[in-house]
Amino acid sequence: MEARKMAICDKDQNSLAYYSKEIERGFFKYWMRVECRMFSDPEKLFETVRMGEEYELYFLDFSIPKISAPELAERILKEQPESPIVFSSVRENDIFKTFHVQPFGFIRKQKMSEDIEKVIWEYASWCAKYEKQIYRNR
């Protein structure tokens, strides 16, 4: 089975590495292999999207430079309207700045492992329902 591609955007390299490991570990519990592409520059992430690269989930941190995370999400959604976006932040009230892009989830950095687990469970459940539906419609 081919790996599912995820994009992570965070200005902090240590957070990117930790995020990636947690995501890979979390998906492995559901027998899903993932490949995390890490970006510290939101413009580079958006450039890959503009060039046609698609990711199954986008993890965007509020600390990214140059552009706000909700603004980056808007730009991604203009290119790929069905893309699930997950935001992360150290400030829980940042979630209120994301409602207009209808995020798939929100990760509190102080509870990162716990929240990543919830997001992955929800996504794995959604994938199972969606893939079952495709199989039935064949």
Side-chain angles (χ1 to χ4, degrees), residues 2-137:
E2 194 172 313
R4 297 171 186 261
K5 292 190 282 186
M6 310 289 160
I8 308 168
C9 192
D10 192 308
K11 73 176 181 182
D12 181 45
Q13 292 296 324
N14 291 331
S15 289
L16 281 170
Y18 180 75
Y19 228 155
S20 179
K21 285 178 187 168
E22 286 292 309
I23 291 167
E24 289 173 1
R25 185 183 352 248
F27 274 104
F28 186 74
K29 290 178 183 177
Y30 299 99
W31 301 95
M32 298 170 85
R33 200 165 66 89
V34 299
E35 174 187 313
C36 293
R37 186 110 187 261
M38 298 178 282
F39 298 88
S40 56
D41 182 346
E43 295 296 337
K44 287 184 180 173
L45 167 57
F46 184 68
E47 183 61 26
T48 67
V49 171
R50 243 177 19 104
M51 299 302 287
E53 189 73 41
E54 291 188 31
Y55 303 95
E56 289 202 32
L57 269 175
Y58 292 85
F59 293 87
L60 309 179
D61 188 70
F62 264 79
S63 69
I64 57 175
K66 301 179 187 174
I67 182 175
S68 74
E71 187 178 340
L72 176 59
E74 288 174 8
R75 290 171 66 184
I76 290 169
L77 291 169
K78 281 182 184 170
E79 297 289 325
Q80 299 170 0
E82 300 298 316
S83 299
I85 310 273
V86 177
F87 292 102
S88 64
S89 180
V90 294
R91 293 178 308 276
E92 290 185 22
N93 65 341
D94 281 341
I95 192 171
F96 299 110
K97 300 173 187 172
T98 68
F99 289 147
H100 67 287
V101 294
Q102 298 178 330
F104 186 82
F106 191 84
I107 295 169
R108 301 164 295 176
K109 280 204 162 174
Q110 53 276 44
K111 295 192 179 199
M112 186 178 257
S113 295
E114 177 184 329
D115 288 352
I116 284 177
E117 181 75 30
K118 288 176 187 174
V119 166
I120 290 171
W121 181 86
E122 295 218 3
Y123 188 73
S125 297
W126 179 86
C127 286
K129 288 177 194 171
Y130 179 73
E131 289 167 3
K132 187 184 285 185
Q133 185 178 20
I134 289 174
Y135 182 75
R136 283 185 194 159
N137 292 332

